[in-house]
RNA sequence: GGCGGCGUAGCUCAGUUGGUCAGAGCAUGCGGCUCAUAUCCGCAGAGUCGGGGGUUCGAAUCCCUCCGCCGCCA
């Protein structure tokens, strides 16, 4: 559209829903985004890389209640998990947005208000089958079951019939504008096959979209009509504008909006390729350039799911092989857009063959020869011969192709090209046989040239892999005694021959030690290990002072009444005697104790915990309990104690 | 049921507008080197390009049909 060179790049991941801990799928999207961001920075662009978490909605309300926390507390915890993983994976995001942040909520409300005034949002009545799990009304065409109910086609659970007052987005008005937009921007949805799906979906006609709920409390209130909350998808999608400064940092927003690429999993394509541009058209924003739907990672050819217990925990792999091997594997194995199959065999094979044998061993053998023949000093090269020139030219051609492929988000193809060059460097050494020349003093100059050339090639490879393997790239440059890091050298400044003779190189360590398959499987699949490593961050001891401890008002409480909270499996509503007052608390102990078990019993509660509403029931305190496999075990006293007694 | 896509060496896949297009990587076998992480380099073998029919001087590449698989929608 704009003819002039665009000097900015704005890339996003979806914001991840905090009802789940991060897994390999989250890692995959985010790694793609990171590689693109790093590459664009090398190009000299101002890059804005946004990721974050989606924290509203019924599912989170529910998940939090089951854990006996407030939704915000649950979100706070899960956010830490995401941030930890991103750090381990060297994700260079610029901002981590949370939809519970004040500026986001305000921004969403403002846009909502704007569309309401414009008439693109109107109030109506909605009746439909609603799936609690998917937080979605079922499509009208889902057939009735024999018993007259409907089953959610996505999750297989039974839906409930709801009628509610609702605000609607006038999506129907945007059918033609969307089709026109797709026609004018064939790259808007990638890969192409997804674009076809989107277009054919829109051609079938679009109905107005219900975008508020009265059944959900944990969400952004509709401005001026707070018994409605804004539907989680309308809320979440707008993170891409609020996270880029809309309504709170005009300069940031001006600089980066519209986004260059929204990376998403193919499951959320419709939201991003249809609803989102329609919302943006309505609000008068320019539209993003590309929505890229990547594929799924399967585990040994089958879909990963919690129920199958085959979800891959990235932490175990990271511990064993480091971030770069995982980043490389995920980006190299499969073109973005297709499904991939993750097997331990495949992973180990690729890491050993590409990273240990091809790349790692090349670095090792080259540097070792410089140590052996030139005492670790980069030699002054002798005259350049045809074969040397060819290697340099091959590099230039490779670099040009790799850049073009990175520009096109074709990461696996880019890596493939780099590896073709890598093979050529290994062949160059095999052809030149520097180890033979080293035995003849009169060949010293020739030897110097060959090793110099090989070092240049290694340095160049280090540069090209930087977006995908930043740590390894830095290690390689560090071995070469470079004063800069590859990430600090702009593409336009990079030159194959910018290697300084006389510099000392460092003694290399194996970049990627070969992995033994059996050992790897043993370590990664050890069942206890997963739990251990997952718990580690939370169990790290952090001291508090006695004064801090004193702030907690721990009291003995006696249970007066207890009842189950309908619709939950874990929650009990308890009336408790605290000596001089009676309180109500919600406790997640119903899987271990029935209401009758607890009446008359005494235990310890934190009396000055900030009250919270859990599943619509106010909780004025929390009881202390041990948790084993998600089940609560309450510590009781071995004799009777007067209610209200302080516990220290 | 509708729309779209796919079916090419043991495996994963490339194959622009029909004419060195029958290919690459991995795996397998053999040979070479020894600087290197039992690494590296070279050579070799198998495919009636899902089946059948058609258009054409000529089709993996276009058309029809059948079989099988996948995606989206219903």
């Amino acid at each position: 559209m704009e003819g002039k060179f665009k000097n900015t790049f704005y890339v996003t991941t979806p914001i991840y829903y905090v009802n789940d801990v991060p897994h390999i799928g989250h890692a995959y999207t985010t790694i793609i985004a990171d590689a693109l961001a790093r590459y664009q920075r090398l190009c000299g662009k101002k890059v804005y890389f946004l990721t974050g978490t989606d924290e509203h909605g019924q599912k989170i309300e529910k998940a939090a209640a089951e854990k006996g926390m407030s939704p915000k507390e649950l979100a706070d915890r899960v956010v830490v998990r995401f941030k930890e993983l991103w750090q381990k994976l060297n994700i260079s995001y610029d901002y981590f947005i949370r939809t519970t942040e004040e500026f986001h909520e305000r921004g969403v409300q403002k846009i909502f208000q704007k569309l309401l005034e414009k008439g693109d949002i109107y109030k109506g009545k909605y009746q439909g089958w609603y799936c609690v799990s998917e937080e979605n009304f079922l499509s009208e065409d889902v057939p009735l079951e024999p018993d007259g109910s409907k089953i959610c086609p996505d999750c297989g659970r039974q839906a409930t019939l709801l009628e509610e007052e609702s605000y609607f987005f006038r999506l129907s008005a945007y059918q033609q504008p969307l089709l026109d937009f797709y026609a004018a921007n064939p790259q808007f949805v990638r890969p192409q096959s997804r674009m076809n799906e989107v277009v054919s979906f829109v051609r079938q006609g679009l109905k107005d979209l219900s975008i508020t709920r009265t059944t959900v409390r944990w969400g952004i209130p509709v401005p001026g009509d707070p018994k409605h909350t804004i539907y989680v998808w309308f809320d979440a999608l707008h993170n891409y504008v609020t996270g880029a400064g809309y309504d709170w940092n005009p300069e940031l927003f001006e600089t980066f909006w519209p986004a260059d690429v929204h990376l998403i999993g193919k499951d959320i394509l419709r939201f991003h390729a249809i609803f989102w541009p329609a919302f943006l058209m309505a609000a008068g924003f320019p539209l993003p350039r590309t929505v890229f739907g990547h594929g799924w990672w399967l585990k040994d050819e089958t879909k990963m799911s919690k129920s199958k217990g085959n979800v891959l925990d990235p932490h175990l792999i990271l511990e064993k092989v480091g971030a770069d091997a995982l980043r490389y594997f995920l980006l190299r194995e499969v073109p973005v857009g297709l499904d991939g199959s993750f097997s331990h065999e495949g992973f180990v094979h690729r890491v050993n063959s590409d990273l240990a044998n091809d790349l790692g061993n090349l670095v090792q053998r080259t540097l070792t020869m410089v140590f052996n023949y030139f005492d670790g000093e980069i030699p002054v090269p002798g005259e350049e011969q045809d074969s040397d020139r060819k290697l340099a030219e091959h590099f230039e051609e490779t670099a040009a192709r790799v850049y073009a492929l990175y520009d096109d988000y074709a990461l696996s193809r880019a890596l493939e090209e780099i590896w073709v060059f890598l093979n050529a460097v290994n062949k160059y050494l095999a052809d030149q046989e520097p180890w033979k020349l080293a035995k003849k003093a009169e060949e010293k100059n020739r030897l110097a040239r060959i090793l110099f050339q090989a070092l240049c090639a290694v340095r160049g490879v280090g540069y090209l892999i930087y977006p995908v393997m930043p740590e390894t790239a830095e290690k390689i440059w560090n071995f070469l005694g470079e004063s800069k890091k590859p990430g600090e050298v702009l593409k336009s400044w990079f030159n194959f021959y910018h290697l300084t003779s006389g510099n000392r190189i460092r003694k290399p360590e194996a970049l990627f030690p070969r992995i033994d398959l059996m050992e790897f499987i043993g370590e990664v699949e050890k069942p206890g290990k997963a739990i251990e490593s997952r718990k580690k961050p939370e169990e790290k001891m952090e001291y508090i002072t006695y004064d801090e401890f004193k702030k907690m008002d721990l009291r003995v409480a006696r249970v007066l009444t207890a009842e189950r909270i309908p619709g939950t499996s874990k929650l009990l509503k308890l009336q408790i005697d605290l000596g001089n007052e009676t309180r109500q608390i919600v406790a997640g102990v119903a899987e271990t104790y029935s209401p009758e078990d607890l009446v008359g019993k005494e235990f310890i509660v934190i009396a000055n915990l900030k009250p919270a509403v859990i599943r619509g029931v106010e909780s004025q305190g929390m009881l202390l309990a041990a948790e084993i496999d998600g089940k609560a075990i309450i510590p009781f006293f071995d004799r009777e104690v007067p209610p209200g007694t302080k516990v220290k």
Side-chain angles (χ1 to χ4, degrees):
Chain A
M1 259 202 229
E2 58 289 294
K4 64 177 187 242
F5 174 71
K6 189 169 153 295
N7 194 35
T8 62
F9 186 78
Y10 176 23
V11 54
T12 69
T13 72
I15 46 176
Y16 303 118
Y17 211 46
V18 294
N19 69 337
D20 194 10
V21 295
H23 54 68
I24 202 88
H26 300 117
Y28 181 48
T29 320
T30 312
I31 288 169
I32 296 171
D34 187 63
L36 298 182
R38 286 177 186 273
Y39 168 69
Q40 294 293 340
R41 289 190 198 107
L42 289 187
C43 295
K45 293 193 188 176
K46 273 162 68 179
V47 169
Y48 193 62
F49 170 11
L50 182 71
T51 187
T53 41
D54 181 5
E55 306 186 359
H56 288 131
Q58 191 162 8
K59 255 196 269 188
I60 287 161
E61 203 173 11
K62 198 168 129 196
E66 278 169 7
K67 294 189 161 96
M69 306 182 222
S70 73
K72 186 62 170 35
E73 282 168 344
L74 173 67
D76 287 347
R77 283 203 195 185
V78 178
V79 162
V80 171
R81 304 281 288 274
F82 275 101
K83 286 186 173 173
E84 266 172 17
L85 181 59
W86 298 159
Q87 193 182 353
K88 285 186 185 171
L89 282 168
N90 293 312
I91 302 301
S92 61
Y93 60 81
D94 293 291
Y95 191 73
F96 188 106
I97 188 174
R98 303 181 54 177
T99 54
T100 47
E101 287 180 277
E102 198 267 334
F103 71 81
H104 170 78
E105 300 189 345
R106 208 181 49 230
V108 170
Q109 287 182 322
K110 194 164 167 178
I111 290 167
F112 191 99
Q113 182 71 40
K114 188 169 164 187
L115 300 193
L116 193 62
E117 283 162 17
K118 199 177 160 220
D120 273 324
I121 290 179
Y122 63 91
K123 199 170 184 175
K125 264 210 170 14
Y126 187 82
Q127 192 199 44
W129 291 90
Y130 184 77
C131 173
V132 173
S133 174
E134 299 292 319
E135 284 186 4
N136 214 339
F137 278 97
L138 273 50
S139 165
E140 312 228 323
D141 339 287
V142 175
L144 282 171
E145 296 296 310
D147 67 355
S149 71
K150 286 194 181 187
I151 300 289
C152 173
D154 296 323
C155 68
R157 284 172 243 230
Q158 186 158 42
T160 44
L161 188 61
L162 283 186
E163 180 180 82
E164 61 176 18
E165 192 178 61
S166 171
Y167 288 85
F168 287 84
F169 174 77
R170 213 176 287 284
L171 184 63
S172 56
Y174 288 91
Q175 179 175 358
Q176 198 51 47
L178 282 170
L179 289 172
D180 294 343
F181 173 70
Y182 300 145
N185 299 277
Q187 294 270 300
F188 176 65
V189 177
R190 293 182 62 188
Q192 180 66 43
S193 54
R194 300 284 163 207
M195 179 54 124
N196 297 343
E197 288 175 11
V198 168
V199 169
S200 70
F201 184 87
V202 174
R203 281 214 181 107
Q204 288 177 26
L206 297 174
K207 285 184 198 142
D208 289 352
L209 208 58
S210 164
I211 53 164
T212 62
R213 297 286 178 267
T214 54
T215 47
V216 178
R217 304 175 59 153
W218 179 236
I220 302 175
V222 168
D225 196 356
K227 78 170 190 281
H228 295 265
T229 55
I230 295 173
Y231 175 49
V232 62
W233 268 108
F234 188 89
D235 166 357
L237 283 166
H238 285 90
N239 92 87
Y240 300 129
V241 291
T242 62
Y246 169 71
D247 197 41
W248 61 278
N249 187 340
E251 193 189 332
L252 183 71
F253 191 60
E254 272 303 302
T255 305
F256 288 108
W257 189 259
D260 289 85
V261 55
H262 293 310
L263 289 165
I264 59 165
K266 60 185 183 180
D267 52 321
I268 51 176
L269 183 69
R270 196 186 301 172
F271 295 98
H272 285 80
I274 300 172
F275 303 165
W276 179 228
F279 295 160
L280 289 168
M281 284 177 184
F285 291 122
L287 304 194
R289 288 179 179 76
T290 294
V291 171
F292 208 128
H294 67 244
W296 290 122
W297 277 97
L298 312 175
K299 175 70 174 68
D300 302 321
E301 313 284 321
T302 56
K303 198 171 169 180
M304 291 185 220
S305 69
K306 273 200 235 175
S307 54
K308 282 186 202 143
N310 65 347
V311 177
L312 278 177
D313 181 347
H315 290 96
L316 295 173
I317 297 167
L318 278 172
E319 257 169 54
K320 181 69 186 154
V321 299
D324 279 2
L326 181 59
R327 290 172 61 114
Y328 175 79
F329 177 82
L330 293 178
L331 298 185
R332 169 62 236 265
E333 189 75 359
V334 158
V336 183
L338 300 185
D339 287 347
S341 182
F342 192 106
S343 70
H344 294 311
E345 292 77 5
F347 179 78
V348 168
H349 184 264
R350 183 155 296 280
V351 169
N352 278 345
S353 132
D354 293 6
L355 297 182
N357 297 351
D358 292 345
L359 174 61
N361 180 59
L362 173 66
V363 172
Q364 187 85 352
R365 69 195 297 213
T366 307
L367 295 178
T368 302
M369 283 191 276
V370 175
F371 264 98
N372 291 347
Y373 309 145
F374 292 96
D375 224 13
E377 193 173 287
I378 296 176
V380 178
E383 197 190 340
E384 188 183 57
Q385 299 185 356
D386 272 357
S387 55
D388 314 324
R389 221 177 338 265
K390 269 189 193 143
L391 188 72
E393 281 165 11
H394 189 177
F395 178 83
E396 298 301 345
E397 291 160 14
T398 299
R401 273 199 290 270
V402 167
Y403 296 148
L405 290 163
Y406 277 151
D407 274 323
D408 195 39
Y409 312 147
L411 301 173
S412 73
R413 288 275 299 106
L415 291 169
E416 218 176 308
E417 288 290 344
I418 298 171
W419 256 253
V420 170
F421 177 69
L422 222 35
N423 293 338
V425 182
N426 271 323
K427 181 165 168 51
Y428 171 81
L429 289 176
D431 291 345
Q432 301 300 321
E433 301 182 305
W435 48 90
K436 284 189 178 161
L437 300 180
K439 289 174 183 152
K440 304 177 197 159
E442 70 276 17
E443 296 283 13
K444 197 83 175 174
N445 278 342
R446 182 65 200 136
L447 177 64
R449 164 56 71 177
I450 292 162
L451 291 186
F452 183 84
Q453 211 72 3
L455 288 170
C456 286
V458 165
R459 179 173 170 276
V461 167
Y463 189 71
L464 295 181
I465 63 173
Y466 169 79
V468 174
M469 292 192 280
E471 244 173 67
T472 304
E474 282 175 20
K475 273 191 204 165
I476 291 174
W477 278 39
N478 184 43
F479 288 157
L480 293 171
E482 292 282 319
S483 56
K484 289 198 169 184
K485 294 178 174 183
E488 297 165 356
V489 176
L490 289 186
K491 197 175 90 180
S492 51
W493 283 95
F494 179 83
N495 183 299
F496 182 78
Y497 284 115
H498 278 180
L499 181 72
T500 314
S501 298
N503 271 6
R504 300 205 67 81
I505 60 169
R506 291 185 227 294
K507 197 145 192 83
E509 304 151 23
L511 286 173
F512 297 97
R514 286 180 65 82
I515 307 168
D516 179 79
L517 177 62
M518 284 312 159
E519 194 191 314
F520 180 76
I521 290 176
E523 292 197 22
V524 170
E525 289 200 332
K526 215 183 289 170
K529 182 119 184 183
I531 294 154
E532 186 188 310
S533 105
R534 247 189 290 134
K535 282 196 174 162
K536 230 179 258 164
E538 284 176 11
E539 287 183 349
K540 207 181 281 168
M541 188 60 76
E542 203 180 304
Y543 293 105
I544 61 167
T545 63
Y546 181 69
D547 283 346
E548 285 173 298
F549 172 71
K550 263 201 322 198
K551 285 188 194 163
M552 282 193 272
D553 188 15
L554 301 172
R555 300 272 174 179
V556 174
R558 179 178 293 157
V559 179
L560 301 171
T561 66
E563 58 183 289
R564 287 183 186 279
I565 296 179
T568 71
S569 56
K570 287 191 174 178
L571 298 182
L572 294 181
K573 182 166 87 180
L574 308 174
Q575 302 297 332
I576 55 171
D577 177 4
L578 268 181
N580 49 10
E581 60 173 317
T582 301
R583 284 204 197 174
Q584 168 176 301
I585 65 170
V586 174
V589 297
E591 289 187 342
T592 332
Y593 303 95
S594 66
E596 316 66 88
D597 289 341
L598 290 180
V599 174
K601 286 274 176 28
E602 292 184 333
F603 46 66
I604 304 167
V605 299
I606 302 180
N608 62 341
L609 190 70
K610 193 175 167 188
V613 175
I614 301 169
R615 292 310 290 271
V617 179
E618 179 160 30
S619 181
Q620 305 152 324
M622 188 174 94
L623 68 81
L624 300 187
E627 188 187 302
I628 297 174
D629 295 333
K631 294 191 175 162
I633 313 289
I634 302 173
F636 296 111
F637 294 99
D638 67 352
R639 63 199 67 183
E640 199 162 308
V641 183
T645 303
K646 183 137 176 92
V647 177
K648 295 193 275 193

